[in-house]
Amino acid sequence: MHRSRPAVGLSLAMIVVAGVMSGWGTGRAAAEPGSGGTLYVAHDAPSCSDSGTGTESKPFCSVQAAADVVEPGDTVRIVGSPLSSYSEAVTLTRSGTSDRPITFSGAPLSPSRSKAVLAAPASAPALTLKGVHDVRVESLTFSDEHHSDVVAVTGSDHVTLDQLTVDNAAPTVPVTGTAIGVDGTSSDVTVSRNSIYPSTAYGVRVAPGAARVTVTTNVILTQQQGGIAVSGAADTDVTGNTVFAPCATAISLDGGSSGVVENNVAITLNSMQTRTCQAPTAPLYAVSADATGQVTADYNVAANGASSSAPARTEYSWAGTSYATSAAFRDGTGQGTHDIDGINAYAATPSEHSPLIDSADASAPGELTTDQQGRPRVDDLLVDNTGNGTGHPDRGALERQDTLTIASGDVPTPPKGLAPLGISMKTDATSSWGAALTYSVDFGDGSDPATGTPGSPVSHTYTTPGLYTTRITFTEPDGTSAEKSYAGVAAGTATPPAAALSVAPDTATGQVAAGFARFTVPAPADPWEVEYRTLSFGDGTQDNLAADAQEPTQATHQYAAPGTYTATLTQTDLLGRTTTTRTTFHAADAFVAMTPQYDTEKTIAAHGVLKLSAATLRADSDGVDAAQLQLVTRNAKASGTLTLYTHGTTRPGTAAIAFEPGRKATAETTVKVTPTGSVDLYNGSSGAVTVNVATVGLQSHAQYADTYHPVTPARLLDTRTGTGGTRAPVAGGHSLTLPVGGTHGVPANATAVVLDVTATTTKASGDLTVATHSTNDSVVTGPYWTTGQTATTQVVIPVYDGKVVLHNDSKASANLVADLVGWYGTTANGSEFLPVTPARILNTRTGTGTGKVAKIAAHATLRLKVTGAHGVPATGVTAVDLNLTVPSPSGNGYLVAYPDGTARPGVYSLNFAKGHSTANRALVKVGTDGEIDLYNAGTGPVDVYADVLGDYDVFPAG
C-alpha cells in the first residue's frame, strides 16, 4: 500500500563510491537550528573545558558535556581531529521542538578539517537518543572496533539520523551488534543517506512496536545477519537503498510489519563472500507471512555482482515461499510488477544505460529528491524513462549524473599583464547526454557575469590592478552544472612591489646568540602580486619565503662561523619582474664566563709544542669560536715566550706570555678554536718550561651569552692612596674585598669584570689571586713578583654579588692596585667578539705599525691604528684584544693603553722591570678614529710589541 508522505529534501555529504564505498567528502546537511545558538566540542583544543559554556574559543572537551546542556534550537558542532576520535558513550536526554530542533553535527568547519569520529565503546552504544523528540544527528563517523551497537534510538520520536558513517574492519567471528537501531517505543524516525560498512550484524534494525520509520537512500555493505531488518513495526518505508548482501538478507520485514519496500537495489556481491558463506541461501528480500498483507513491494532490484557461473541465489522469500527470479515472484504474489533482476550491479552508482536509470517510482514514500551524495535526481537523456511519476529517479541510493566536459582551452587569455588587462575566454563544453547548455562567467572583479550559449568567446577588461579568480559555470536545463575556476588572472601594477629586509641578532633575557640572525621581511604593499621570494643568507644557503604573506615574515638563520654576511632578498612578481634588497649581518660571538677549575699542567720541551684539544679546554660546546685562557709558567730553563694558535694553521710570530728562569709568570690570552679541533702552545725558548692552562671564558656564536662593555680605564683600588676604601698595604696571607658592581658604570648584575690587578711596594716575593665573593670560589691567578717588584696582570673574573676578593699570597705585605678595563653583561650598548688570526700589528724594532724603527721614549705616547687590517673591521670596533710585550727594557716602568682622543688615565696596563721581558693581555677600548694610545711611563725608552687576537664590535654589528 502507498501512503502519502512528504519527500525529505536535504543537502548531502559526499560519499565516493567506486565499485564499493571508500572515503568521505566534505559536504554537510543544512538543518535550521531555529533561533538557538551553537555549542562547540573540540577535544584536541588546548582551551577546551567541560565546565565552560562551549564557545568556539573555549569549546567543550566531550560530546556528553554539550549533550547535558543543549537547548531547543541549538546546534552542537563536534570538531573533528585527524589524530584522535571521541572515545565516549554519549546519551542525549534533552529534546527540541518542532520549530526549534536540536542538531548534532560532525560536519567539518572547513574543507581542511576532518569529519568528527566517535569511537564506540564495548559497554554501550557510541550514541543513544533516550526519550527525546525533535532531534537531528548528522555528518558523524562512528568507529566500531567492538562490533557492538553503535547508534540507538530508544523511546524517541521525530528523530532524523542523516549522513552518518559506521566504519570498521569486517568482523572475523560472529557478532550481534547493530549499526543503527530503533527500539519498539520510538516513532517518526528517519534513517537517511547513511554509509554502513561491514562492522556489525545488522545495518539498520527496527524493533517490534516502532511506528512510522523511514529507511531511505542508505548504502549498506556486507552485514552478517541483515542489511535492513524490520520486525513488528507499523508504517515502515524502506525506499531507495543500496544494500550489498553477499551472505545475509538485504531487506527483511516480519512480525506483522506494515509499509512499503520500493526502489531498493540488493546486490549479491559474491566476491565478498567468506569461508563461512561460500554458497549463500538467504534470500535478498524477505517478507514473512504475518506481514505480506500490509507490505507493498515494487521497483526493487535483485542484482548479481559476480560471474554467471556463481551458484544460484534466492531473490525473494514471500510468506515463506522462495522465488528465484523476479518473474516468479511477480507471478506467484502479484507483487514486484516492476522489479528487475538478471543484471550485474557491482558498482553502487549505475553505469550508463543500466536498467536502474530513470526506472524508479518517484512517488514512493520516503523517496528523496537528491541522492546520497546530495546530487539531484535527474533525467538521463540517453535512457528511456520507465519509472513512475516525475523527477526520473534511478533505483538505489545513488543517481547516475550527466558528465559535463569543459574544454581545456576555456582559460582566460592572456592570464597576466599590466592593468588595464583585456582577456578573452572560450566557452566550449559538452554534455555526455547531449543536453543544451548555457554558461555564466564570473570574472571575480565585481562586474556582472557574462552569460550565453557555448561556442562564442567572451571578452572582459580588468581595469583595476589585482589578482582575480575567473569561474565559468555550464548548466543544463535540469540544473546539472559543472564549474571550472582559474585562479591567478593577474592585472599588474605599473611598477613591481617594493622589497625590504632587516636583521637583528637573537636575544633572550638580556643575552644574545650573536651568530643567530632574525630577519624581518615586511609584507609588500600588493602581496597578491608577488609570485615567490627567496632569502639568501650570504653563506651559500637560502630559504624560500611565503609569496603572498599579509603580515611581516620572520626568518631565522644560524651562521656556522663568525663573519660579515650580506643577505639578499630576491622578490619576483607575477609578471616576472624582480626586485632585490640586501642587508648585512655581523655574525659574532658572545662571552660565556667559566669557572677556571680544570687546569692542565704540562712541561713543554725547548721549541716543543703542547697540543690541547677543545674538550681539554672545555671549548667543545656548540658554536665556540675562541677560548680565553690563563697561562702560568714556572721552572723555565731559559728565557722565552709561548705562542698560542689554532692547530693546523701556520704558527704566528706572536707571544702570549714571556718567561725567564727563576720566576713564575702569568698572563691571560685568547685563541681561536673549533668545538672539534685543538690548539697548539709553542715553547719558543731554548729550554723546557712548565705551563699551567686554565679556561676562564669562551666565545660562542650559537649560545645565549653576554656582550662586552669596554670602558676608559678607571682606578677602583689603590691601597697606597685609599682609593677603594683601604689605605694600608695588605698583609701577607690576607685578603681584601673589592666592590665592583654598582660603581664606575658597572651594573650590579654584571656577570664578569675585566681588571688590571697590580702588586707594588712588595716586601717579599709572592703572587696575587682574584676570586669571586661567593661560594662558587672562581679563582684566577694574578701577577707573580719578586721582592720590591711592581707587577701587573689582566684578569677576567665572574661576579655574583658585585664583589671580588684580592688575596695576597706573599709572606709579606704589598700594596694592591685594581684598574677597571670593562665588564660583561646584558646586551644594551654591549659589544660582540670576532676572533682573528693572531698577527703582530706593532713592533717598534722593525717599524711594523708605525712605519719607522724607534722605541717609545720615556713619558712619550705612541698612537697605533688597530682597525681596518688583519681581519679587524674598519668601523664599528669598540675594543681590541691584544697581547702587549716589552722585550728586555733598559729601565723600570709601566705602559698605559687607552683610547685615542681621550685623557690618559692613571692606570697600569703592563709593568716592566729592567732587563726582564714582560707580556700581558690588554683589552683596550678603541678611540673613535680606530686608534689606541700607548704611553711609556718608564724612566727610559722601550720597545713594544702588540699582537691582535680579536676585536669587539658594537652590538648589533652590521
Side-chain angles (χ1 to χ4, degrees), residues 602-630:
K602 298 287 183 181
T603 297
I604 310 174
H607 304 295
V609 175
L610 173 62
K611 183 179 179 181
L612 300 170
S613 70
T616 300
L617 301 176
R618 294 187 291 160
D620 54 346
S621 57
D622 189 24
V624 172
D625 298 306
Q628 291 192 16
L629 307 178
Q630 181 172 83

Side-chain angles (χ1 to χ4, degrees), residues 289-515:
D290 56 7
T292 55
Q294 301 89 245
V295 173
T296 299
D298 203 0
Y299 291 94
N300 298 301
V301 178
N304 187 16
S307 65
S308 58
S309 60
R313 175 84 177 270
T314 299
E315 294 182 358
Y316 303 91
S317 174
W318 190 267
T321 302
S322 297
Y323 298 94
T325 65
S326 61
F329 175 59
R330 179 174 58 252
D331 294 342
T333 65
Q335 298 278 347
T337 304
H338 302 90
D339 283 9
I340 301 172
D341 63 1
I343 64 171
N344 187 311
Y346 182 85
T349 300
S351 57
E352 193 63 86
H353 301 292
S354 168
L356 276 61
I357 297 174
D358 294 351
S359 64
D361 180 7
S363 63
E367 178 70 24
L368 303 182
T369 59
T370 56
D371 74 351
Q372 192 194 42
Q373 296 184 7
R375 303 174 304 183
R377 298 292 190 175
V378 294
D379 183 9
D380 187 338
L381 301 182
L382 303 182
V383 176
D384 292 338
N385 297 326
T386 58
N388 178 53
T390 60
H392 313 293
D394 298 346
R395 304 191 195 198
L398 295 164
E399 184 84 0
R400 177 75 188 184
Q401 301 291 313
D402 190 8
T403 301
L404 300 186
T405 303
I406 301 176
S408 59
D410 289 5
V411 297
T413 305
K416 55 188 175 182
L418 291 176
L421 175 65
I423 61 106
S424 177
M425 191 170 184
K426 294 181 179 180
T427 58
D428 298 330
T430 58
S431 159
S432 64
W433 293 348
L437 302 177
T438 57
Y439 72 78
S440 175
V441 182
D442 181 356
F443 297 102
D445 60 354
S447 61
D448 292 335
T451 59
T453 57
S456 300
V458 62
S459 298
H460 183 71
T461 298
Y462 291 99
T463 59
T464 303
L467 185 65
Y468 301 98
T469 297
T470 303
R471 293 180 176 85
I472 184 168
T473 303
F474 292 92
T475 307
E476 55 185 277
D478 65 6
T480 300
S481 64
E483 177 186 285
K484 267 193 175 181
S485 296
Y486 305 94
V489 179
T493 57
T495 57
L501 177 66
S502 62
V503 65
D506 186 40
T507 58
T509 63
Q511 294 185 314
V512 60

